[in-house]
Amino acid sequence: MATTSNQTIYVLNGPNLNLLGTREPETYGHATLADVEALCAATATQFGLSADCRQSNHEGELIDFIHEAKAKGVTGIVINAGAYSHTSIALHDALVGVKIPTVEVHISNIYAREAFRHHSFTAKAAFATLCGFGIDGYRLAISGLAARIGIKAKA
Ligand code: CA2
C-alpha cells in the first residue's frame, strides 16, 4: 500500500454539515457545503495543493476516510467532525493512528455555546484548532496546515 506523501489534503466534514446554508444561519451563516468545498479547493490551489473534500453523517465512514488518507499518503487533514468532535474517541484514535498533520475546524465558536460543545476529542489529535471564524476557518486551516508542512503560497 502506498504511503509516500503527495500534494493532496483531505477536508472532512461530519454529521449535518451537508445542511449548511439551509438552517440556523445565525449560528452557521448562509454558505453551503458546496461553498465551503469551493473555498477549500481555491485555497489549496494557492499552495499548490489539491483539496479532496468529503462529508459523511456516519462515524465509521469518517474513520474510513481517515484510513484512506493514510493509504493514499495525503499530506494533511482538515476536519470538522461536527458533533462527533465532542463524542468520538474512535475518530480521535483514527487521527492519532494515521499520524497525518491535522487541523480541526469549527464554524461556530464552540466555547461560546453549550457546555457539551466545549470539549473535543478530535482536537486532541490535531496540532491546531480554529473555531468561530465561520467558513473562513477552513481557509485559515489550510493556510496554517501549509505553513506547518513547509509549503509557501505560490506566486
Ligand atoms: O461549529 C461547528 O462547525 C460545529 O462543528 C457544527 C456542528 C456542531 O455539533 C458542533 O458543536 C460545532 C453541527 C453542524 C450542524 O450543521 C448544521 C447546519 C445547518 C443546519 C443544521 C445543522
Side-chain angles (χ1 to χ4, degrees):
M1 199 171 285
T3 54
T4 50
S5 83
N6 61 36
Q7 295 299 93
T8 300
I9 60 167
Y10 269 22
V11 178
L12 304 180
N13 281 296
N16 297 308
L17 287 158
N18 54 310
L19 299 176
L20 274 180
T22 67
R23 293 179 227 156
E24 301 184 51
E26 65 286 357
T27 305
Y28 300 115
H30 291 280
T32 64
L33 181 62
D35 295 329
V36 169
E37 294 183 348
L39 174 63
C40 290
T43 306
T45 299
Q46 291 171 6
F47 292 95
L49 295 166
S50 156
D52 191 334
C53 301
R54 313 285 181 87
Q55 187 274 332
S56 179
N57 294 321
H58 306 280
E59 187 176 19
E61 188 169 28
L62 291 164
I63 292 168
D64 288 343
F65 292 155
I66 293 165
H67 294 172
E68 183 187 294
K70 183 65 175 179
K72 292 194 171 167
V74 310
T75 206
I77 294 174
V78 171
I79 186 166
N80 181 351
Y84 286 144
S85 314
H86 315 303
T87 63
S88 180
I89 297 169
L91 272 170
H92 163 275
D93 289 351
L95 290 167
V96 168
V98 296
K99 296 188 175 64
I100 297 171
T102 296
V103 182
E104 171 159 301
V105 173
H106 294 286
I107 295 166
S108 62
N109 179 356
I110 57 174
Y111 300 104
R113 301 184 64 192
E114 303 96 324
F116 62 79
R117 299 186 201 275
H118 295 181
H119 176 266
S120 168
F121 286 103
T122 44
K124 287 189 70 65
F127 74 81
T129 299
L130 288 159
C131 73
F133 287 104
I135 72 161
D136 206 36
Y138 291 85
R139 181 183 66 76
L140 296 167
I142 292 171
S143 176
L145 183 56
R148 178 69 167 227
I149 60 183
I151 296 176
K152 293 193 169 78
K154 307 295 173 201

